[in-house]
Amino acid sequence: MSRSPGRKQENHKISRELFVLTYGALVAQLCKDYEKDEDVNTCLDTMGYSIGVRLIDDFLARSAVKKCRSYSETAGMIAQVAFKMYLGITPTVSCRSAAGNEFSLILDKNPLVDFVEELPAERASLCYCNLLCGVIRGALEMVHLAAEVTFLQDRLKGDAVTEIGITFLRKPEDRKHKRN
């Protein structure tokens, strides 16, 4: 049996749309379960963190990337490889600090909000896509890079762009093992 060449891409698109719809239903249910937006944001971040901790193994196996030597390489890898692999988009990376430990990922298109028109007025402090921050933070932690990941701007809140900020918290330690 032969497969048509476009079938794999079609299945990927269907899977992404199913994920986006399911994600919307998840956020809606969390909004029903929790009165405060901060609680929903925390829950989404925690869920994302758990996904990132597990997803990093799949990412490393499928992408066959080499070890990043700098924070800028790491930020580029997240944008150019990971986002492309899992969400089908490539955010723009910009450095936000002279120290070189703060970066922004600017998303021209955010597939998680494909079916969202706007947030309800009573949910103004909801960070709808906070799952992404948790995923990035969890994956980075599994490769021994502590980071703070937050949404800096969000189109759903009326901002011009969607921007995720990544601040690496400490320099990775070079471990040299001595033989006894």
Side-chain angles (χ1 to χ4, degrees):
M1 290 178 51
S2 66
R3 292 185 177 186
S4 61
R7 184 163 178 110
K8 184 176 182 179
Q9 184 178 14
E10 182 181 309
N11 286 342
H12 179 69
K13 184 177 179 181
I14 291 170
S15 297
R16 184 175 29 206
E17 286 179 357
L18 179 61
F19 171 69
V20 170
L21 288 170
T22 304
Y23 183 74
L26 169 72
V27 174
Q29 185 61 49
L30 289 173
C31 287
K32 288 178 185 176
D33 292 346
Y34 297 101
E35 290 180 26
K36 296 179 183 177
D37 290 344
E38 294 77 23
D39 294 337
V40 176
N41 294 342
T42 300
C43 188
L44 288 170
D45 182 72
T46 302
M47 293 168 85
Y49 178 84
S50 295
I51 292 169
V53 164
R54 289 164 183 77
L55 195 63
I56 191 67
D57 287 331
D58 179 66
F59 172 77
L60 293 172
R62 289 178 52 200
S63 66
V65 296
K66 303 282 187 237
K67 181 179 179 178
C68 295
R69 302 272 179 221
S70 68
Y71 290 141
S72 61
E73 279 186 46
T74 303
M77 190 65 60
I78 292 168
Q80 296 168 357
V81 181
F83 267 80
K84 182 73 173 171
M85 185 183 294
Y86 294 107
L87 294 176
I89 61 170
T90 305
T92 304
V93 179
S94 66
C95 186
R96 297 184 300 133
S97 73
N101 70 326
E102 294 181 25
F103 296 88
S104 287
L105 302 177
I106 300 169
L107 288 70
D108 293 326
K109 184 175 187 238
N110 182 353
L112 289 182
V113 300
D114 281 351
F115 302 110
V116 179
E117 292 179 19
E118 63 182 33
L119 294 176
E122 65 273 5
R123 292 290 184 175
S125 60
L126 176 67
C127 189
Y128 183 83
C129 297
N130 212 37
L131 184 93
L132 292 176
C133 293
V135 170
I136 295 168
R137 190 172 53 84
L140 287 172
E141 193 169 299
M142 293 309 293
V143 292
H144 307 288
L145 291 172
E148 181 180 298
V149 185
T150 57
F151 267 89
L152 302 175
Q153 296 185 69
D154 193 346
R155 281 194 173 149
L156 285 179
K157 294 182 178 183
D159 295 321
V161 296
T162 299
E163 181 179 4
I164 300 173
I166 302 173
T167 302
F168 294 98
L169 301 176
R170 63 180 178 269
K171 195 86 171 158
E173 297 174 346
D174 293 333
R175 297 180 186 176
K176 296 181 180 180
H177 298 286
K178 296 180 180 178
R179 293 184 182 181
N180 293 335

